[in-house]
Amino acid sequence: MGPHPAVAAIRLAVRRVLHDVLSDILTEEPHSTAGAFGTTTAGRTPERPPSPLVLVACSGGADSMALASALAFEAPRLGVRAGGVTVDHGLQNGSDLRAEEVVLRLRELGLDPVEATAVTVGRAGGPEAAARDARYAALDAAAARHGAAAVLLGHTRDDQAETVLLGLARGSGIRSLSGMAAVSGAGGRYRRPFLQVDRQTARKACMVQSLPVWDDPHNADPAYTRSRLRHEGLPALEKALGKGVVEALARTAQLSRDDADALDTWARQAEAGVRDATGVLECAKLYALPPAVRRRILRRAALEAGAPGGALFARHIEEVDRLITGWRGQGAINLPGKVVARRQGGRLVIRQG
C-alpha cells in the first residue's frame, strides 16, 4: 500500500525540484576528461565530490513542515544531503523557544545541518515587507555559509493566489500579477515546489504523518493585509464566483509570467537601439516603442541609477514615461533612492542627484 495521496503529492513535487537542482548542477560543472568524480592519477581511485546540500526554510507551520518531511524522504534517494533553517524574527514573545522546537523537529526528521537564526526586523516598507527582507537576508547567509545548492520554500498555490490579488489591488503591472516564481534568487537559489499544491494538501500530509505544526497567530491577525485577504477576501470571492478562484488565480500568475518574460526579453534586445553613442536614452526612439517595452527600459534605467526595486512602483515609471509621451516642458521627476529623471535636448537623463 502506497503513501496517503497528500503525502504522495508533496513528495512528487519535491522529487521534481530535486531533479531540477541536480540537473542544474550537472549543467554548470565544467566538462573534464577526468570524469565526474574528480581528478585521477595512476593507480589512485578518484575522490567522489560531496553530495549537494539542499536546505528547507521552515517556520514550523503546516506548509513548511510538509516540505521538510518530503525533503527528508526524497533527498537520500537521489544522493542529496538535506538540511533546514528556521528564522526567528523576534516579533512574538517566546519566538526563540519556538525556533528551538522547530530545530528539534527538523533533526527528528533526519535533516542535517539544521540551525535557527535570529534577525532584527526593520521598518522599511511596512512590517510584512521588513520581515520578508530580514528573512531572505538570513536565508541567503545560511545558504552561503553551508554551501547549499538550493533553498526550498513552502509557498503553496493559495499563497500564489493571494499574491496575485495583492498585485491587482495595488494596481501593479503584469510582472507583479505573475506572482512568485518557481525559481528565483541569485543563481536560482530559491525553489518553490508547492506552487501547484494547495494549502489543504500540505496540512493533510502533516496530519496523516503525525507531524506537529505551529499556526502562526500573525496569519490570523487582521492587522496584516495578507491575513485579511486570506480570511475575508478570498472566501468572499469564492462565495460570489464559486469554487476554483484559487486555481484560476494561480493560472493567471503563470500566464502573466510567460508574457512578462517575453516582454522583458524584448526590452533587453531593444534597449541598445534607443541609446546614443554615449549611452544616454533618446526620447524619439523610446517613443516609437510599444508602451510595455518602453516602460521596462525606463525601469531598468532607474534601477541601474540606484533606485531601490522595492520602492520603485508603476506610478513612478508612468511619471517618467510622460517625459517622453506627454512632454510639455515639465521639470525633473524625483524617484526613490534620490534618483532624478529629466528630459534634456531630446534625451532622457536618469541619475542620482
Side-chain angles (χ1 to χ4, degrees):
M1 183 176 178
H4 186 279
V7 176
I10 65 170
R11 288 178 178 175
L12 176 59
V14 169
R15 189 184 317 140
R16 287 171 171 167
V17 166
L18 291 180
H19 276 296
D20 289 343
V21 171
L22 289 173
S23 177
D24 290 347
I25 291 173
L26 290 174
T27 301
E28 292 171 1
E29 286 180 351
H31 296 287
S32 169
T33 57
F37 299 119
T39 305
T40 61
T41 56
R44 181 180 299 176
T45 301
E47 293 184 0
R48 182 183 293 270
S51 301
L53 171 66
V54 173
L55 299 174
V56 58
C58 185
S59 67
D63 301 341
S64 58
M65 281 302 298
L67 181 58
S69 71
L71 177 63
F73 181 86
E74 294 291 341
R77 288 159 174 78
L78 294 174
V80 174
R81 291 181 297 137
V85 180
T86 186
V87 178
D88 174 16
H89 297 84
L91 298 176
Q92 302 172 29
N93 292 332
S95 63
D96 55 338
L97 299 177
R98 174 65 59 186
E100 291 176 7
E101 290 178 8
V102 174
V103 166
L104 289 175
R105 292 175 186 174
L106 295 179
R107 285 178 176 155
E108 288 172 354
L109 288 172
L111 301 189
D112 181 44
V114 174
E115 69 174 52
T117 180
V119 298
T120 300
V121 177
R123 298 182 178 180
E128 293 169 277
R132 182 175 60 251
D133 290 345
R135 179 166 60 254
Y136 278 103
L139 293 175
D140 280 337
R145 190 162 52 250
H146 294 290
V151 179
L152 305 189
L153 305 176
H155 298 119
T156 64
R157 187 170 63 190
D158 301 75
D159 296 310
Q160 185 74 298
E162 292 163 8
T163 301
V164 173
L165 282 177
L166 287 170
L168 280 170
R170 292 166 180 159
S172 302
I174 193 172
R175 176 56 70 187
S176 180
L177 298 185
S178 64
M180 295 174 285
V183 180
S184 65
R189 168 175 289 161
Y190 293 108
R191 311 287 175 126
R192 296 177 173 87
F194 288 176
L195 288 183
Q196 300 302 320
V197 176
D198 62 83
R199 189 175 289 144
Q200 189 58 38
T201 296
R203 185 169 288 276
K204 185 69 172 179
C206 290
M207 186 182 72
V208 299
Q209 295 178 99
S210 300
L211 293 175
V213 299
W214 174 61
D215 290 316
D216 187 347
H218 281 173
N219 290 335
D221 188 344
Y224 295 94
T225 304
R226 186 176 286 269
S227 175
R228 294 195 302 273
L229 181 60
R230 179 174 302 176
H231 297 288
E232 300 173 24
L234 269 173
L237 278 176
E238 289 196 333
K239 183 178 180 180
L241 303 176
K243 295 293 184 181
V245 170
V246 169
E247 292 87 342
L249 288 168
R251 285 196 302 274
T252 296
Q254 185 56 58
L255 293 170
S256 298
R257 181 165 297 280
D258 292 343
D259 291 348
D261 288 345
L263 287 168
D264 286 346
T265 299
W266 188 353
R268 284 193 297 270
Q269 294 171 345
E271 184 170 357
V274 296
R275 292 183 181 274
D276 64 15
T278 64
V280 179
L281 293 167
E282 297 187 74
C283 295
K285 293 180 178 179
L286 283 167
Y287 185 86
L289 292 174
V293 176
R294 180 175 62 244
R295 288 171 183 167
R296 278 167 167 73
I297 294 174
L298 297 180
R299 178 177 173 80
R300 281 169 55 87
L303 292 174
E304 290 172 359
L312 189 65
F313 302 133
R315 58 182 173 82
H316 294 126
I317 303 305
E318 289 170 1
E319 290 178 6
V320 177
D321 196 36
R322 279 194 285 272
L323 294 177
I324 299 164
T325 62
W327 176 241
R328 300 289 188 276
Q330 59 264 46
I333 304 297
N334 294 314
L335 301 174
K338 298 181 179 180
V339 172
V340 177
R342 59 169 51 88
R343 180 163 173 156
Q344 295 177 336
R347 288 168 172 76
L348 187 69
V349 179
I350 303 177
R351 62 189 177 198
Q352 283 195 323

